[in-house]
């Protein structure tokens, strides 16, 4: 089911359909950022978001946002989260 978003029009709000584009190499190159990959590798290396944040000199919410952005771009869950840290999923292991 396509997602929708509200946009302001001249007189009333209208709803536009937001199409989920297939993940092609061109789309991936446009959306993927080097910092996101660095954050991903730091999380995999350190095993927790907080330790990755300290290593990268970023805040924990910034690291979380980069990870969520990556998961949104790929449309896949890359890490399983627990109170003891994170472990890569099968897809996360492939990306590593």
């Amino acid at each position: 089911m396509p997602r929708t978003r509200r946009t302001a029009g001249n007189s009333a709000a209208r709803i536009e359909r937001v199409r989920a584009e297939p993940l092609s190499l061109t789309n991936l190159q446009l959306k993927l950022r080097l910092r996101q990959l660095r954050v991903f590798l730091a999380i995999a290396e350190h095993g927790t978001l907080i330790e990755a944040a300290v290593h990268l000199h970023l805040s924990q919410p910034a690291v979380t946002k980069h990870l969520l952005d990556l998961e949104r771009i790929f449309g896949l869950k890359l890490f399983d989260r627990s109170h003891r840290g994170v472990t890569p999923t099968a897809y996360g292991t492939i990306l590593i």
Side-chain angles (χ1 to χ4, degrees):
M1 180 175 194
R3 296 178 299 167
T4 59
R5 70 174 171 205
R6 256 184 219 285
T7 58
N10 291 340
S11 61
R14 61 189 175 114
I15 295 180
E16 286 183 21
R17 289 182 186 254
V18 178
R19 294 186 184 184
E21 297 179 26
L23 189 61
S24 68
L25 186 57
T26 305
N27 276 345
L28 186 61
Q29 288 172 333
L30 292 174
K31 293 180 180 180
L32 201 55
R33 301 287 180 244
L34 184 58
R35 173 158 279 195
Q36 292 167 330
L37 292 177
R38 286 182 180 150
V39 167
F40 173 80
L41 291 175
I43 295 169
E45 180 181 337
H46 294 283
T48 68
L49 298 176
I50 292 173
E51 288 181 26
V54 169
H55 175 75
L56 295 168
H57 305 287
L58 295 172
S59 67
Q60 180 270 324
V63 169
T64 300
K65 182 179 182 323
H66 285 303
L67 177 58
L68 292 175
D69 288 345
L70 264 180
E71 289 179 332
R72 184 180 38 78
I73 289 168
F74 286 110
L76 302 167
K77 186 176 175 185
L78 299 174
F79 287 98
D80 286 322
R81 294 151 177 90
S82 73
H83 66 283
R84 303 187 106 192
V86 295
T87 55
T89 61
Y91 298 112
T93 303
I94 290 169
L95 188 57
I96 293 171

